[in-house]
Every structure is written in structure tokens, then in C-alpha cells.
Amino acid sequence: MEQARKRSSEIKIGVLAERKYKRALKFSEKINAYSFHSYIKNVKPKHIEKAKALGLKNYVFTVNKDQQFEKLKIWKVDGVFTDFPNVIDHSHESWNQS
């Protein structure tokens, strides 16, 4: 990722984090990442808030249950990764009403 950033400041880089969020966020800031991708089983609101404070888009993986999706809407993440897009209400209108 560092090499990609050195090649171009225009490349949109996303940093994935399953744990060690503080370290991953610091790295995201270092490389001027575009987005931060958190693991659904470990993410907390503070991780989303810190990423937002750094100006990062927030995406969470892998969200496969409606209750997870609803929680993330409240936290106002920018999007999710899911294995079952047909099961989760992921319409743009629904997402932005929270």
C-alpha cells in the first residue's frame, strides 16, 4: 500500500482491520488512505468515529445479518460488504434515513 501511495496520490486505498484498530488507523493516516474497512465481529463505534475524524470512509465486512446492518446504519457507516445482498435492505433511501 505504501508503494501504491508513492506512485500516485490519486489511488483510493482502503485499509482492512480485523483487530489492532489503533495501529490500522495510524497506518491509514500515514498513507493517506481513502477508506477504513472494519470487521463486523470486532468493530466498535469508537473505531468508526476515529476513522471519520481522520476523514476516512467507513465500510464494514462481512455483514450478513439484518441486526448487524441496522446497528451499522445507526453508526452511520458508509457501506457494508455482505455475502447476501438480496437479504439485507440495502437501498440508498433506507441507508440514509437513519
Side-chain angles (χ1 to χ4, degrees):
M1 285 190 241
E2 289 173 319
Q3 288 184 7
R5 177 53 67 227
K6 286 178 185 175
R7 288 184 178 196
S8 172
S9 62
E10 301 299 314
I11 296 172
K12 291 184 178 180
I13 298 174
V15 175
L16 274 67
E18 286 190 42
R19 51 187 115 86
K20 298 186 181 184
Y21 284 92
K22 186 175 181 178
R23 181 176 167 195
L25 283 164
K26 188 177 234 181
F27 181 71
S28 299
E29 185 175 27
K30 176 183 174 184
I31 64 165
N32 193 27
Y34 172 78
S35 58
F36 191 72
H37 305 253
S38 306
Y39 183 45
I40 186 62
K41 292 186 179 182
N42 299 326
V43 67
K44 295 182 172 56
K46 68 181 180 180
H47 304 134
I48 303 300
E49 292 166 12
K50 288 179 182 180
K52 283 182 183 182
L54 292 173
L56 299 167
K57 295 285 185 183
N58 282 274
Y59 301 96
V60 179
F61 65 96
T62 300
V63 181
N64 287 329
K65 298 178 182 173
D66 282 332
Q67 66 269 25
Q68 295 170 329
F69 182 76
E70 293 302 320
K71 173 177 70 174
L72 295 171
K73 281 174 45 176
I74 293 167
W75 293 359
K76 299 196 183 300
V77 300
D78 295 295
V80 299
F81 296 91
T82 183
D83 294 323
F84 308 107
N86 59 322
V87 175
I88 295 177
D89 176 14
H90 60 281
S91 69
H92 183 69
E93 295 79 21
S94 171
W95 189 257
N96 289 319
Q97 289 179 5
S98 296

